Short mmCIF file of all heavy atoms in Angstrom, two decimals:
data_model
loop_
_atom_site.label_atom_id
_atom_site.label_comp_id
_atom_site.label_asym_id
_atom_site.label_seq_id
_atom_site.Cartn_x
_atom_site.Cartn_y
_atom_site.Cartn_z
N MET V 208 9.89 -33.15 -30.81
CA MET V 208 9.29 -33.06 -29.50
C MET V 208 10.20 -32.22 -28.60
O MET V 208 11.40 -32.44 -28.56
CB MET V 208 9.12 -34.47 -28.94
CG MET V 208 8.46 -34.49 -27.60
SD MET V 208 8.16 -36.20 -27.12
CE MET V 208 6.66 -35.97 -26.25
N SER V 209 9.61 -31.27 -27.89
CA SER V 209 10.41 -30.37 -27.06
C SER V 209 10.70 -31.01 -25.70
O SER V 209 10.00 -31.91 -25.25
CB SER V 209 9.70 -29.04 -26.88
OG SER V 209 8.52 -29.24 -26.15
N ASN V 210 11.73 -30.49 -25.04
CA ASN V 210 12.15 -30.99 -23.75
C ASN V 210 11.16 -30.49 -22.68
O ASN V 210 10.99 -29.29 -22.47
CB ASN V 210 13.56 -30.48 -23.47
CG ASN V 210 14.12 -31.04 -22.20
OD1 ASN V 210 13.40 -31.55 -21.36
ND2 ASN V 210 15.43 -30.93 -22.05
N ALA V 211 10.54 -31.42 -21.96
CA ALA V 211 9.53 -31.06 -20.95
C ALA V 211 10.15 -30.28 -19.79
O ALA V 211 9.54 -29.36 -19.26
CB ALA V 211 8.83 -32.31 -20.45
N LEU V 212 11.37 -30.63 -19.38
CA LEU V 212 12.03 -29.93 -18.29
C LEU V 212 12.31 -28.48 -18.67
O LEU V 212 12.09 -27.57 -17.87
CB LEU V 212 13.33 -30.63 -17.90
CG LEU V 212 14.14 -29.97 -16.79
CD1 LEU V 212 13.31 -29.88 -15.51
CD2 LEU V 212 15.43 -30.72 -16.54
N LYS V 213 12.77 -28.24 -19.89
CA LYS V 213 13.04 -26.87 -20.34
C LYS V 213 11.76 -26.05 -20.37
O LYS V 213 11.74 -24.89 -19.97
CB LYS V 213 13.70 -26.86 -21.71
CG LYS V 213 14.03 -25.45 -22.18
CD LYS V 213 14.63 -25.45 -23.54
CE LYS V 213 14.95 -24.09 -24.08
NZ LYS V 213 14.15 -22.98 -23.65
N ARG V 214 10.66 -26.64 -20.80
CA ARG V 214 9.39 -25.93 -20.83
C ARG V 214 8.93 -25.58 -19.42
O ARG V 214 8.40 -24.50 -19.19
CB ARG V 214 8.32 -26.77 -21.54
CG ARG V 214 8.57 -26.85 -23.02
CD ARG V 214 7.53 -27.58 -23.82
NE ARG V 214 6.32 -27.93 -23.15
CZ ARG V 214 5.63 -29.04 -23.39
NH1 ARG V 214 6.04 -29.89 -24.29
NH2 ARG V 214 4.52 -29.28 -22.75
N LEU V 215 9.17 -26.48 -18.46
CA LEU V 215 8.81 -26.22 -17.07
C LEU V 215 9.68 -25.09 -16.50
O LEU V 215 9.17 -24.17 -15.85
CB LEU V 215 8.98 -27.48 -16.23
CG LEU V 215 8.70 -27.32 -14.74
CD1 LEU V 215 7.24 -26.94 -14.52
CD2 LEU V 215 9.04 -28.59 -14.00
N ILE V 216 10.96 -25.12 -16.77
CA ILE V 216 11.87 -24.08 -16.29
C ILE V 216 11.52 -22.73 -16.89
O ILE V 216 11.59 -21.69 -16.22
CB ILE V 216 13.34 -24.47 -16.58
CG1 ILE V 216 13.74 -25.64 -15.68
CG2 ILE V 216 14.28 -23.29 -16.37
CD1 ILE V 216 15.08 -26.25 -16.00
N ASP V 217 11.09 -22.70 -18.13
CA ASP V 217 10.69 -21.45 -18.78
C ASP V 217 9.47 -20.82 -18.13
O ASP V 217 9.25 -19.62 -18.25
CB ASP V 217 10.44 -21.67 -20.28
CG ASP V 217 11.71 -21.95 -21.05
OD1 ASP V 217 12.81 -21.63 -20.53
OD2 ASP V 217 11.62 -22.47 -22.18
N LEU V 218 8.66 -21.62 -17.44
CA LEU V 218 7.47 -21.09 -16.76
C LEU V 218 7.82 -20.38 -15.45
O LEU V 218 7.05 -19.55 -14.97
CB LEU V 218 6.48 -22.22 -16.45
CG LEU V 218 5.80 -22.86 -17.65
CD1 LEU V 218 4.97 -24.05 -17.18
CD2 LEU V 218 4.94 -21.87 -18.38
N LEU V 219 8.99 -20.68 -14.88
CA LEU V 219 9.39 -20.07 -13.61
C LEU V 219 9.78 -18.61 -13.82
O LEU V 219 10.35 -18.26 -14.86
CB LEU V 219 10.57 -20.84 -13.01
CG LEU V 219 10.28 -22.29 -12.65
CD1 LEU V 219 11.57 -22.98 -12.22
CD2 LEU V 219 9.24 -22.37 -11.55
N PRO V 220 9.49 -17.75 -12.84
CA PRO V 220 9.86 -16.34 -12.99
C PRO V 220 11.37 -16.16 -12.99
O PRO V 220 12.10 -16.87 -12.29
CB PRO V 220 9.24 -15.67 -11.75
CG PRO V 220 8.99 -16.78 -10.79
CD PRO V 220 8.83 -18.03 -11.59
N LYS V 221 11.85 -15.24 -13.81
CA LYS V 221 13.29 -14.98 -13.92
C LYS V 221 13.77 -14.06 -12.81
O LYS V 221 14.90 -14.15 -12.36
CB LYS V 221 13.61 -14.34 -15.28
CG LYS V 221 13.13 -15.15 -16.47
CD LYS V 221 13.74 -16.54 -16.50
CE LYS V 221 13.28 -17.30 -17.73
NZ LYS V 221 12.64 -18.54 -17.48
N THR V 222 12.94 -13.16 -12.36
CA THR V 222 13.26 -12.24 -11.28
C THR V 222 12.46 -12.65 -10.05
O THR V 222 11.26 -12.88 -10.14
CB THR V 222 12.88 -10.79 -11.69
OG1 THR V 222 13.46 -10.49 -12.94
CG2 THR V 222 13.36 -9.80 -10.65
N PRO V 223 13.11 -12.75 -8.89
CA PRO V 223 12.38 -13.23 -7.71
C PRO V 223 11.36 -12.22 -7.19
O PRO V 223 11.56 -11.02 -7.28
CB PRO V 223 13.50 -13.45 -6.68
CG PRO V 223 14.60 -12.56 -7.11
CD PRO V 223 14.50 -12.47 -8.61
N GLU V 224 10.27 -12.74 -6.67
CA GLU V 224 9.27 -11.92 -5.98
C GLU V 224 9.50 -12.10 -4.49
O GLU V 224 9.80 -13.19 -4.02
CB GLU V 224 7.85 -12.38 -6.33
CG GLU V 224 7.36 -11.92 -7.65
CD GLU V 224 5.89 -12.22 -7.87
OE1 GLU V 224 5.27 -12.90 -7.03
OE2 GLU V 224 5.36 -11.76 -8.88
N PHE V 225 9.35 -11.02 -3.74
CA PHE V 225 9.53 -11.06 -2.31
C PHE V 225 8.21 -10.72 -1.63
O PHE V 225 7.39 -10.01 -2.18
CB PHE V 225 10.59 -10.05 -1.87
CG PHE V 225 11.96 -10.35 -2.44
CD1 PHE V 225 12.41 -9.66 -3.55
CD2 PHE V 225 12.76 -11.31 -1.86
CE1 PHE V 225 13.66 -9.93 -4.08
CE2 PHE V 225 14.01 -11.59 -2.38
CZ PHE V 225 14.46 -10.90 -3.49
N VAL V 226 8.03 -11.24 -0.43
CA VAL V 226 6.86 -10.92 0.38
C VAL V 226 7.32 -9.94 1.45
O VAL V 226 8.37 -10.11 2.06
CB VAL V 226 6.26 -12.18 1.04
CG1 VAL V 226 5.12 -11.81 1.96
CG2 VAL V 226 5.80 -13.15 -0.02
N GLY V 227 6.53 -8.90 1.65
CA GLY V 227 6.87 -7.92 2.67
C GLY V 227 5.63 -7.29 3.26
O GLY V 227 4.52 -7.49 2.78
N GLU V 228 5.85 -6.53 4.34
CA GLU V 228 4.75 -5.86 5.02
C GLU V 228 4.95 -4.35 4.90
O GLU V 228 6.04 -3.85 5.17
CB GLU V 228 4.72 -6.27 6.49
CG GLU V 228 3.55 -5.69 7.24
CD GLU V 228 3.48 -6.22 8.67
OE1 GLU V 228 3.91 -7.35 8.90
OE2 GLU V 228 2.99 -5.48 9.52
N ILE V 229 3.91 -3.64 4.50
CA ILE V 229 3.99 -2.20 4.33
C ILE V 229 4.13 -1.54 5.70
O ILE V 229 3.31 -1.75 6.59
CB ILE V 229 2.76 -1.66 3.58
CG1 ILE V 229 2.74 -2.24 2.17
CG2 ILE V 229 2.75 -0.15 3.56
CD1 ILE V 229 1.54 -1.87 1.35
N THR V 230 5.20 -0.74 5.85
CA THR V 230 5.44 -0.05 7.12
C THR V 230 5.14 1.44 7.02
O THR V 230 4.92 2.10 8.02
CB THR V 230 6.89 -0.23 7.58
OG1 THR V 230 7.77 0.28 6.57
CG2 THR V 230 7.21 -1.69 7.82
N SER V 231 5.14 1.97 5.80
CA SER V 231 4.85 3.39 5.60
C SER V 231 4.13 3.54 4.26
O SER V 231 4.58 3.02 3.25
CB SER V 231 6.15 4.20 5.58
OG SER V 231 5.88 5.55 5.26
N ALA V 232 3.00 4.25 4.29
CA ALA V 232 2.19 4.41 3.09
C ALA V 232 1.98 5.88 2.78
O ALA V 232 1.40 6.61 3.59
CB ALA V 232 0.85 3.71 3.24
N ASP V 233 2.50 6.32 1.65
CA ASP V 233 2.27 7.67 1.14
C ASP V 233 2.08 7.50 -0.37
O ASP V 233 3.01 7.67 -1.14
CB ASP V 233 3.47 8.58 1.45
CG ASP V 233 3.24 10.01 0.98
OD1 ASP V 233 2.07 10.40 0.82
OD2 ASP V 233 4.23 10.72 0.77
N HIS V 234 0.85 7.08 -0.74
CA HIS V 234 0.55 6.69 -2.12
C HIS V 234 1.08 7.70 -3.12
O HIS V 234 0.86 8.88 -2.95
CB HIS V 234 -0.97 6.53 -2.28
CG HIS V 234 -1.38 6.05 -3.63
ND1 HIS V 234 -1.11 4.77 -4.05
CD2 HIS V 234 -2.00 6.67 -4.64
CE1 HIS V 234 -1.58 4.63 -5.28
NE2 HIS V 234 -2.12 5.77 -5.66
N PRO V 235 1.82 7.32 -4.16
CA PRO V 235 2.16 5.98 -4.65
C PRO V 235 3.46 5.42 -4.11
O PRO V 235 3.95 4.41 -4.59
CB PRO V 235 2.26 6.20 -6.15
CG PRO V 235 2.85 7.56 -6.26
CD PRO V 235 2.24 8.34 -5.12
N ASN V 236 4.07 6.05 -3.10
CA ASN V 236 5.34 5.58 -2.55
C ASN V 236 5.11 4.84 -1.24
O ASN V 236 4.39 5.33 -0.37
CB ASN V 236 6.29 6.76 -2.33
CG ASN V 236 6.56 7.51 -3.60
OD1 ASN V 236 6.86 6.92 -4.62
ND2 ASN V 236 6.43 8.82 -3.56
N TYR V 237 5.75 3.69 -1.11
CA TYR V 237 5.58 2.85 0.07
C TYR V 237 6.95 2.37 0.56
O TYR V 237 7.87 2.23 -0.22
CB TYR V 237 4.74 1.61 -0.25
CG TYR V 237 3.33 1.95 -0.64
CD1 TYR V 237 3.00 2.19 -1.97
CD2 TYR V 237 2.33 2.02 0.30
CE1 TYR V 237 1.71 2.50 -2.33
CE2 TYR V 237 1.03 2.33 -0.05
CZ TYR V 237 0.72 2.57 -1.38
OH TYR V 237 -0.55 2.88 -1.73
N LYS V 238 7.05 2.12 1.88
CA LYS V 238 8.20 1.44 2.44
C LYS V 238 7.72 0.06 2.86
O LYS V 238 6.74 -0.06 3.61
CB LYS V 238 8.76 2.18 3.65
CG LYS V 238 9.47 3.46 3.30
CD LYS V 238 10.06 4.10 4.54
CE LYS V 238 10.68 5.43 4.18
NZ LYS V 238 11.17 6.15 5.37
N VAL V 239 8.40 -0.97 2.37
CA VAL V 239 7.99 -2.34 2.63
C VAL V 239 9.13 -3.06 3.34
O VAL V 239 10.27 -3.04 2.88
CB VAL V 239 7.66 -3.07 1.31
CG1 VAL V 239 7.32 -4.53 1.56
CG2 VAL V 239 6.51 -2.38 0.59
N LEU V 240 8.81 -3.69 4.48
CA LEU V 240 9.78 -4.49 5.22
C LEU V 240 9.70 -5.91 4.69
O LEU V 240 8.70 -6.60 4.86
CB LEU V 240 9.48 -4.47 6.72
CG LEU V 240 10.43 -5.26 7.61
CD1 LEU V 240 11.86 -4.72 7.49
CD2 LEU V 240 9.97 -5.21 9.04
N VAL V 241 10.77 -6.35 4.03
CA VAL V 241 10.78 -7.66 3.39
C VAL V 241 10.89 -8.74 4.47
O VAL V 241 11.68 -8.63 5.40
CB VAL V 241 11.94 -7.76 2.37
CG1 VAL V 241 11.99 -9.13 1.73
CG2 VAL V 241 11.78 -6.69 1.30
N VAL V 242 10.10 -9.78 4.34
CA VAL V 242 9.97 -10.82 5.36
C VAL V 242 11.26 -11.60 5.57
O VAL V 242 11.55 -12.03 6.67
CB VAL V 242 8.80 -11.78 4.99
CG1 VAL V 242 8.75 -12.98 5.90
CG2 VAL V 242 7.49 -11.03 5.03
N ASP V 243 12.08 -11.76 4.53
CA ASP V 243 13.29 -12.59 4.68
C ASP V 243 14.40 -11.90 5.45
O ASP V 243 15.49 -12.42 5.60
CB ASP V 243 13.79 -13.06 3.33
CG ASP V 243 14.34 -11.95 2.46
OD1 ASP V 243 14.26 -10.78 2.85
OD2 ASP V 243 14.86 -12.26 1.36
N GLY V 244 14.15 -10.68 5.95
CA GLY V 244 15.12 -9.99 6.78
C GLY V 244 16.10 -9.12 6.04
O GLY V 244 17.06 -8.63 6.63
N THR V 245 15.90 -8.87 4.76
CA THR V 245 16.83 -8.05 4.00
C THR V 245 16.65 -6.56 4.28
O THR V 245 17.50 -5.77 3.93
CB THR V 245 16.70 -8.29 2.49
OG1 THR V 245 15.35 -8.08 2.10
CG2 THR V 245 17.10 -9.71 2.14
N GLY V 246 15.55 -6.17 4.90
CA GLY V 246 15.36 -4.77 5.28
C GLY V 246 14.23 -4.08 4.56
O GLY V 246 13.38 -4.71 3.94
N LEU V 247 14.25 -2.74 4.65
CA LEU V 247 13.21 -1.92 4.03
C LEU V 247 13.50 -1.70 2.55
O LEU V 247 14.65 -1.52 2.16
CB LEU V 247 13.13 -0.55 4.71
CG LEU V 247 12.44 -0.51 6.06
CD1 LEU V 247 12.59 0.87 6.68
CD2 LEU V 247 10.98 -0.86 5.94
N VAL V 248 12.45 -1.70 1.75
CA VAL V 248 12.55 -1.45 0.32
C VAL V 248 11.58 -0.33 -0.03
O VAL V 248 10.42 -0.36 0.39
CB VAL V 248 12.20 -2.72 -0.49
CG1 VAL V 248 12.27 -2.46 -1.97
CG2 VAL V 248 13.11 -3.87 -0.11
N MET V 249 12.04 0.66 -0.76
CA MET V 249 11.15 1.71 -1.28
C MET V 249 10.45 1.16 -2.50
O MET V 249 11.10 0.70 -3.44
CB MET V 249 11.95 2.96 -1.64
CG MET V 249 12.55 3.67 -0.45
SD MET V 249 11.30 4.38 0.64
CE MET V 249 10.54 5.58 -0.41
N CYS V 250 9.13 1.19 -2.50
CA CYS V 250 8.34 0.62 -3.59
C CYS V 250 7.30 1.62 -4.07
O CYS V 250 6.96 2.56 -3.37
CB CYS V 250 7.62 -0.64 -3.12
SG CYS V 250 8.70 -1.94 -2.57
N THR V 251 6.79 1.36 -5.26
CA THR V 251 5.69 2.15 -5.81
C THR V 251 4.54 1.21 -6.17
O THR V 251 4.74 0.01 -6.34
CB THR V 251 6.12 2.92 -7.08
OG1 THR V 251 6.55 1.98 -8.06
CG2 THR V 251 7.24 3.88 -6.77
N SER V 252 3.36 1.79 -6.30
CA SER V 252 2.20 1.02 -6.70
C SER V 252 1.12 1.96 -7.22
O SER V 252 0.98 3.08 -6.73
CB SER V 252 1.65 0.22 -5.52
OG SER V 252 0.48 -0.45 -5.90
N SER V 253 0.38 1.48 -8.20
CA SER V 253 -0.74 2.26 -8.70
C SER V 253 -1.98 2.05 -7.84
O SER V 253 -2.93 2.82 -7.90
CB SER V 253 -1.03 1.89 -10.15
OG SER V 253 -1.30 0.51 -10.24
N THR V 254 -1.97 1.00 -7.02
CA THR V 254 -3.08 0.69 -6.12
C THR V 254 -2.75 1.18 -4.72
O THR V 254 -1.62 1.11 -4.29
CB THR V 254 -3.32 -0.84 -6.08
OG1 THR V 254 -3.49 -1.32 -7.40
CG2 THR V 254 -4.53 -1.19 -5.25
N LYS V 255 -3.76 1.66 -4.01
CA LYS V 255 -3.55 2.17 -2.66
C LYS V 255 -3.62 1.02 -1.66
O LYS V 255 -4.55 0.22 -1.69
CB LYS V 255 -4.61 3.22 -2.33
CG LYS V 255 -4.30 4.03 -1.12
CD LYS V 255 -5.23 5.22 -1.01
CE LYS V 255 -4.77 6.11 0.12
NZ LYS V 255 -5.51 7.36 0.18
N TYR V 256 -2.63 0.95 -0.75
CA TYR V 256 -2.56 -0.08 0.28
C TYR V 256 -2.45 0.58 1.64
O TYR V 256 -1.95 1.69 1.77
CB TYR V 256 -1.35 -1.00 0.07
CG TYR V 256 -1.42 -1.83 -1.18
CD1 TYR V 256 -0.72 -1.46 -2.31
CD2 TYR V 256 -2.19 -2.99 -1.23
CE1 TYR V 256 -0.77 -2.22 -3.47
CE2 TYR V 256 -2.25 -3.75 -2.39
CZ TYR V 256 -1.54 -3.37 -3.50
OH TYR V 256 -1.60 -4.11 -4.64
N ALA V 257 -2.89 -0.14 2.68
CA ALA V 257 -2.82 0.36 4.06
C ALA V 257 -1.56 -0.18 4.74
O ALA V 257 -1.02 -1.21 4.36
CB ALA V 257 -4.05 -0.08 4.84
N VAL V 258 -1.12 0.53 5.77
CA VAL V 258 0.02 0.08 6.58
C VAL V 258 -0.33 -1.26 7.22
O VAL V 258 -1.45 -1.46 7.70
CB VAL V 258 0.38 1.13 7.65
CG1 VAL V 258 1.44 0.60 8.59
CG2 VAL V 258 0.83 2.42 7.00
N GLY V 259 0.62 -2.21 7.22
CA GLY V 259 0.40 -3.53 7.80
C GLY V 259 -0.04 -4.58 6.80
O GLY V 259 -0.12 -5.76 7.15
N THR V 260 -0.32 -4.19 5.58
CA THR V 260 -0.74 -5.14 4.55
C THR V 260 0.47 -5.92 4.04
O THR V 260 1.51 -5.34 3.76
CB THR V 260 -1.40 -4.40 3.37
OG1 THR V 260 -2.48 -3.61 3.86
CG2 THR V 260 -1.92 -5.36 2.32
N LYS V 261 0.33 -7.24 3.90
CA LYS V 261 1.38 -8.06 3.30
C LYS V 261 1.21 -8.03 1.78
O LYS V 261 0.09 -8.20 1.28
CB LYS V 261 1.32 -9.49 3.79
CG LYS V 261 1.91 -9.69 5.16
CD LYS V 261 2.03 -11.16 5.47
CE LYS V 261 2.73 -11.36 6.79
NZ LYS V 261 2.87 -12.77 7.12
N VAL V 262 2.32 -7.81 1.07
CA VAL V 262 2.26 -7.67 -0.38
C VAL V 262 3.42 -8.41 -1.03
O VAL V 262 4.42 -8.73 -0.40
CB VAL V 262 2.31 -6.19 -0.81
CG1 VAL V 262 1.07 -5.45 -0.39
CG2 VAL V 262 3.55 -5.50 -0.26
N PHE V 263 3.28 -8.70 -2.33
CA PHE V 263 4.36 -9.22 -3.16
C PHE V 263 5.06 -8.05 -3.82
O PHE V 263 4.41 -7.14 -4.36
CB PHE V 263 3.83 -10.16 -4.25
CG PHE V 263 3.44 -11.51 -3.75
CD1 PHE V 263 2.11 -11.85 -3.60
CD2 PHE V 263 4.40 -12.46 -3.46
CE1 PHE V 263 1.75 -13.11 -3.16
CE2 PHE V 263 4.05 -13.72 -3.01
CZ PHE V 263 2.72 -14.04 -2.86
N VAL V 264 6.40 -8.07 -3.81
CA VAL V 264 7.21 -7.01 -4.40
C VAL V 264 8.09 -7.60 -5.49
O VAL V 264 8.75 -8.62 -5.27
CB VAL V 264 8.10 -6.34 -3.32
CG1 VAL V 264 8.99 -5.29 -3.95
CG2 VAL V 264 7.25 -5.74 -2.23
N LEU V 265 8.10 -6.97 -6.66
CA LEU V 265 8.93 -7.38 -7.78
C LEU V 265 9.57 -6.14 -8.37
O LEU V 265 8.86 -5.24 -8.83
CB LEU V 265 8.10 -8.11 -8.84
CG LEU V 265 8.80 -8.51 -10.12
CD1 LEU V 265 9.83 -9.61 -9.83
CD2 LEU V 265 7.82 -8.99 -11.15
N ASP V 266 10.90 -6.07 -8.34
CA ASP V 266 11.63 -4.93 -8.90
C ASP V 266 11.14 -3.60 -8.35
O ASP V 266 10.85 -2.66 -9.09
CB ASP V 266 11.55 -4.93 -10.43
CG ASP V 266 12.34 -6.05 -11.06
OD1 ASP V 266 13.31 -6.51 -10.42
OD2 ASP V 266 11.99 -6.46 -12.18
N GLN V 267 11.00 -3.49 -7.04
CA GLN V 267 10.58 -2.29 -6.32
C GLN V 267 9.19 -1.79 -6.73
O GLN V 267 8.89 -0.61 -6.66
CB GLN V 267 11.61 -1.18 -6.49
CG GLN V 267 12.94 -1.54 -5.85
CD GLN V 267 13.93 -0.42 -5.97
OE1 GLN V 267 14.02 0.23 -7.00
NE2 GLN V 267 14.68 -0.20 -4.92
N GLU V 268 8.36 -2.72 -7.16
CA GLU V 268 6.97 -2.40 -7.47
C GLU V 268 6.07 -3.41 -6.77
O GLU V 268 6.32 -4.62 -6.84
CB GLU V 268 6.72 -2.46 -8.98
CG GLU V 268 5.33 -2.08 -9.36
CD GLU V 268 5.09 -2.12 -10.85
OE1 GLU V 268 6.03 -2.30 -11.61
OE2 GLU V 268 3.92 -1.97 -11.24
N ILE V 269 5.07 -2.92 -6.06
CA ILE V 269 4.12 -3.80 -5.38
C ILE V 269 3.18 -4.38 -6.44
O ILE V 269 2.53 -3.63 -7.18
CB ILE V 269 3.33 -3.05 -4.30
CG1 ILE V 269 4.29 -2.51 -3.23
CG2 ILE V 269 2.27 -3.93 -3.69
CD1 ILE V 269 3.65 -1.59 -2.22
N LYS V 270 3.13 -5.71 -6.50
CA LYS V 270 2.33 -6.38 -7.53
C LYS V 270 0.91 -6.71 -7.07
O LYS V 270 -0.04 -6.51 -7.80
CB LYS V 270 3.02 -7.66 -8.00
CG LYS V 270 4.30 -7.40 -8.74
CD LYS V 270 4.02 -6.62 -10.00
CE LYS V 270 5.26 -6.38 -10.81
NZ LYS V 270 4.98 -5.62 -12.02
N ARG V 271 0.80 -7.27 -5.85
CA ARG V 271 -0.52 -7.69 -5.38
C ARG V 271 -0.44 -8.00 -3.88
O ARG V 271 0.64 -8.08 -3.32
CB ARG V 271 -1.01 -8.92 -6.13
CG ARG V 271 -0.12 -10.13 -5.96
CD ARG V 271 -0.46 -11.24 -6.96
NE ARG V 271 0.48 -12.34 -6.87
CZ ARG V 271 1.68 -12.35 -7.42
NH1 ARG V 271 2.11 -11.31 -8.09
NH2 ARG V 271 2.46 -13.40 -7.29
N VAL V 272 -1.58 -8.20 -3.27
CA VAL V 272 -1.66 -8.54 -1.85
C VAL V 272 -1.24 -9.99 -1.66
O VAL V 272 -1.58 -10.86 -2.46
CB VAL V 272 -3.10 -8.33 -1.33
CG1 VAL V 272 -3.23 -8.81 0.10
CG2 VAL V 272 -3.49 -6.87 -1.44
N ALA V 273 -0.48 -10.26 -0.59
CA ALA V 273 -0.07 -11.61 -0.25
C ALA V 273 -1.04 -12.19 0.78
O ALA V 273 -1.59 -11.45 1.60
CB ALA V 273 1.35 -11.61 0.31
N LEU V 274 -1.22 -13.48 0.74
CA LEU V 274 -2.08 -14.13 1.72
C LEU V 274 -1.40 -14.15 3.07
O LEU V 274 -0.17 -14.16 3.17
CB LEU V 274 -2.37 -15.57 1.28
CG LEU V 274 -3.12 -15.72 -0.04
CD1 LEU V 274 -3.22 -17.19 -0.40
CD2 LEU V 274 -4.50 -15.11 0.07
N SER V 275 -2.19 -14.14 4.14
CA SER V 275 -1.62 -14.21 5.47
C SER V 275 -1.17 -15.64 5.75
O SER V 275 -1.64 -16.58 5.14
CB SER V 275 -2.64 -13.76 6.51
OG SER V 275 -3.75 -14.61 6.46
N GLY V 276 -0.23 -15.78 6.67
CA GLY V 276 0.28 -17.10 7.01
C GLY V 276 1.80 -17.12 6.93
O GLY V 276 2.43 -16.09 6.71
N ALA V 277 2.36 -18.29 7.10
CA ALA V 277 3.82 -18.43 7.10
C ALA V 277 4.37 -18.30 5.68
O ALA V 277 3.73 -18.72 4.71
CB ALA V 277 4.20 -19.79 7.67
N VAL V 278 5.57 -17.73 5.58
CA VAL V 278 6.26 -17.60 4.30
C VAL V 278 7.34 -18.65 4.23
O VAL V 278 8.13 -18.82 5.15
CB VAL V 278 6.88 -16.19 4.16
CG1 VAL V 278 7.67 -16.08 2.88
CG2 VAL V 278 5.80 -15.14 4.21
N VAL V 279 7.39 -19.40 3.13
CA VAL V 279 8.38 -20.44 2.93
C VAL V 279 9.21 -20.10 1.71
O VAL V 279 8.66 -19.76 0.65
CB VAL V 279 7.68 -21.82 2.71
CG1 VAL V 279 8.71 -22.90 2.46
CG2 VAL V 279 6.82 -22.16 3.89
N GLN V 280 10.54 -20.16 1.85
CA GLN V 280 11.42 -19.90 0.71
C GLN V 280 11.75 -21.22 0.04
O GLN V 280 12.18 -22.17 0.70
CB GLN V 280 12.69 -19.21 1.17
CG GLN V 280 12.47 -17.80 1.65
CD GLN V 280 13.79 -17.13 1.98
OE1 GLN V 280 14.86 -17.63 1.73
NE2 GLN V 280 13.70 -15.95 2.56
N ILE V 281 11.58 -21.26 -1.27
CA ILE V 281 11.90 -22.45 -2.05
C ILE V 281 13.05 -22.09 -2.98
O ILE V 281 12.91 -21.21 -3.82
CB ILE V 281 10.69 -22.94 -2.87
CG1 ILE V 281 9.53 -23.25 -1.93
CG2 ILE V 281 11.06 -24.14 -3.70
CD1 ILE V 281 8.23 -23.56 -2.64
N GLU V 282 14.17 -22.78 -2.82
CA GLU V 282 15.32 -22.50 -3.67
C GLU V 282 15.30 -23.47 -4.84
O GLU V 282 15.14 -24.69 -4.67
CB GLU V 282 16.62 -22.67 -2.87
CG GLU V 282 17.83 -22.20 -3.63
CD GLU V 282 19.05 -22.12 -2.76
OE1 GLU V 282 18.90 -21.84 -1.57
OE2 GLU V 282 20.14 -22.37 -3.27
N ILE V 283 15.46 -22.91 -6.04
CA ILE V 283 15.43 -23.73 -7.25
C ILE V 283 16.80 -23.73 -7.89
O ILE V 283 17.41 -22.74 -8.05
CB ILE V 283 14.37 -23.20 -8.23
CG1 ILE V 283 13.01 -23.27 -7.57
CG2 ILE V 283 14.38 -24.00 -9.50
CD1 ILE V 283 11.91 -22.67 -8.36
#
């Protein structure tokens, strides 16, 4: 029987995803202001986004649109 805690930990992402707001859009290159205050990040995406859109960023690549509302950081 495998360890349930280890299986749960294996489901968590290894690289953190950040939420940010697009401040400059020149498809496929974007500047995203990360919500946690770390600053601007140069990102790429195969999908076209508009300025002001909240998105998830992983390894300088925009993954998907983020829902509007408050952002909460959970430390694991």
